[in-house]
Amino acid sequence: IDSILKNIGEPYIGLLSTILPGSFIKAFYQLGDERIRRDFLRTVETWWNVFPAPLIREIQSRAFTTPHP
């Protein structure tokens, strides 16, 4: 997904923008390994030029405030 978003862009950016925060957080908390979670968050850091800043901030905020299931 990361490569498609960065190399192709639209329409995928628009399509994924609406579901990405929830999907990302769901996947993030299903990961049991903290190292992989850090890698996930590093990937989000590369999306500043792909997605609007509020979407990136939402993902980051939810990653640090959403209770673990």
Side-chain angles (χ1 to χ4, degrees):
I1 292 173
D2 180 71
S3 181
I4 292 170
L5 293 170
K6 291 175 181 171
N7 293 310
I8 298 174
E10 292 297 345
Y12 301 103
I13 292 171
L15 293 169
L16 289 173
S17 290
T18 58
I19 63 164
L20 188 63
S23 298
F24 182 92
I25 294 302
K26 183 176 181 178
F28 182 79
Y29 281 113
Q30 288 180 352
L31 298 169
D33 187 334
E34 288 296 321
R35 189 184 93 254
I36 296 173
R37 285 184 183 172
R38 280 193 307 272
D39 290 344
F40 257 48
L41 290 174
R42 279 191 211 119
T43 299
V44 171
E45 285 294 320
T46 70
W47 291 346
W48 284 101
N49 293 326
V50 177
F51 290 106
L55 186 133
I56 302 299
R57 284 190 210 104
E58 178 184 352
I59 291 171
Q60 291 174 327
S61 173
R62 290 175 66 182
F64 295 110
T65 60
T66 302
H68 292 51

